[in-house]
Amino acid sequence: MRKTLKFLLELAVALILMLCFRALVFTIYTVDGPALSPLLIQGDRVLVNRWSYGLRVGSNEGLISYTRIGRQPVDQGDVVAFENPKDPSEVLICRCHAVPGDTIHHDNQVLIVPGRVNCAPQDHYWMEALSPLNTIDSRTLGLIPEQFIIGRVTTIVYSHNPAELPWNGWRHYRTLLPL
């Protein structure tokens, strides 16, 4: 009986540590759609580093005020995971095209002029998909506030073709592929 309790306690501690690690350090998301094709394709499981821009504390629901510990700015060209500001339960993955201080002209086509008149306000970023067919990015959502940014996508951990059976669809050439 004592060995069983000890085992259950160790298992519970391991589970709690794993959940804390997942919530605070790294998270894995599945790419669902062609937004960043050919860089990321449907079925890729990507690793998101939650510490890349600082630890996000607080929530967008207003329970605890938002702040970042060890804050680092998002760089132009980073592939970023962020919550959809209109539906925070949805996670989107796009490339950062404009950072605070860039001029953004959006008229059928996006023109970004670095370091000109400050049209991108502080802590707001222009996130855009590579595919012009994608409808959910800054072209429809506008500038993305920093508080919605989860982290930087670092690696394709695993990839599976969703049209294939689980044992046939593994894309081994996309496993552990750094971005």
Side-chain angles (χ1 to χ4, degrees):
M1 179 73 170
R2 190 172 205 170
K3 284 185 176 183
T4 305
L5 286 175
K6 184 179 176 185
F7 172 76
L8 289 175
L9 181 63
E10 290 173 352
L11 185 65
V13 168
L15 182 64
I16 289 169
L17 288 174
M18 181 193 70
L19 291 173
C20 288
F21 183 79
R22 186 184 183 277
L24 297 174
V25 183
F26 289 103
T27 304
I28 294 178
Y29 292 105
T30 302
V31 175
D32 185 26
L36 287 172
S37 184
L39 179 65
L40 297 174
I41 57 178
Q42 187 165 358
D44 285 351
R45 270 68 166 194
V46 295
L47 186 70
V48 175
N49 180 351
R50 290 179 163 272
W51 279 84
S52 54
Y53 306 119
L55 177 63
R56 187 169 75 155
V57 179
S59 68
N60 294 322
E61 287 83 34
L63 300 174
I64 300 172
S65 63
Y66 164 79
T67 188
R68 279 204 191 257
I69 299 171
R71 186 178 179 277
Q72 296 292 320
V74 178
D75 292 325
Q76 227 172 1
D78 284 358
V79 178
V80 176
F82 62 96
E83 296 170 353
N84 182 342
K86 294 181 179 176
D87 179 12
S89 65
E90 180 181 27
V91 174
L92 304 171
I93 299 174
C94 290
R95 186 178 294 276
C96 178
H97 278 270
V99 297
D102 289 349
T103 300
I104 302 165
H105 176 70
H106 181 58
D107 206 30
N108 290 341
Q109 182 178 355
V110 177
L111 173 66
I112 298 169
V113 183
R116 297 280 308 261
V117 178
N118 188 0
C119 288
Q122 185 173 355
D123 300 334
H124 285 71
Y125 299 89
W126 185 270
M127 303 292 180
E128 196 170 312
L130 297 177
S131 171
L133 303 175
N134 188 50
T135 58
I136 305 177
D137 62 7
S138 286
R139 291 173 282 195
T140 56
L141 298 172
L143 292 165
I144 306 298
E146 181 186 70
Q147 69 191 48
F148 289 93
I149 295 175
I150 298 169
R152 187 169 62 85
V153 177
T154 60
T155 307
I156 299 172
V157 178
Y158 173 78
S159 185
H160 181 269
N161 184 349
E164 296 284 334
L165 295 172
W167 51 87
N168 289 339
W170 176 44
R171 300 179 185 126
H172 60 85
Y173 57 93
R174 294 186 66 81
T175 300
L176 298 178
L177 188 65
L179 294 181

